[in-house]
Amino acid sequence: DVQGLVGCKIEYTSLPYRNVHAFSVESAGIWDRDSELNLYTRNLWHLAKIDMDFRSGKTDIMQIQRLLSGFIVGLPSDPVMK
C-alpha cells in the first residue's frame, strides 16, 4: 500500500497461510493493465478481504495462483482426507 505525496510511505502486512480461507485472481486484459489478487481471510477484524494489484508484465499472476492453490487447497500429490 503506497501512499504519500511522493509514494514513499509503504505499509507491509503479514498474514499466515492458515488464515486465508479463499482467494481469487483476475488477470490483466486488453484495457486493464493490472492483475488483481484478492485474499479472503477468517479474521474478524479489518483484514477480512485483502486486495492487491500487480502490474502486467512485472508479475506472473498465474504462478502466484498456483502457489496459493498449493498452500490453501492442496496439491494433487497430497494424501486425501476422508
Side-chain angles (χ1 to χ4, degrees):
D1 185 17
V2 180
Q3 297 178 354
L5 291 175
V6 292
C8 293
K9 182 179 176 183
I10 300 174
E11 178 182 345
Y12 296 95
T13 303
S14 297
L15 183 69
Y17 285 114
R18 68 177 179 268
N19 288 357
V20 178
H21 182 66
F23 66 93
S24 65
V25 171
E26 183 178 322
S27 61
I30 295 172
W31 303 108
D32 187 15
R33 295 176 26 159
D34 294 337
S35 303
E36 297 177 15
L37 170 67
N38 298 314
L39 299 175
Y40 302 93
T41 68
R42 296 178 181 160
N43 298 331
L44 300 176
W45 60 92
H46 71 283
L47 291 176
K49 180 182 176 191
I50 300 171
D51 301 322
M52 292 180 256
D53 293 326
F54 299 97
R55 289 186 189 155
S56 179
K58 299 283 184 181
T59 305
D60 185 355
I61 195 71
M62 296 315 290
Q63 185 67 25
I64 294 173
Q65 185 270 338
R66 285 189 288 275
L67 176 75
L68 286 173
S69 181
F71 280 118
I72 297 167
V73 178
L75 299 172
S77 60
D78 289 345
V80 177
M81 296 181 66
K82 294 181 181 182

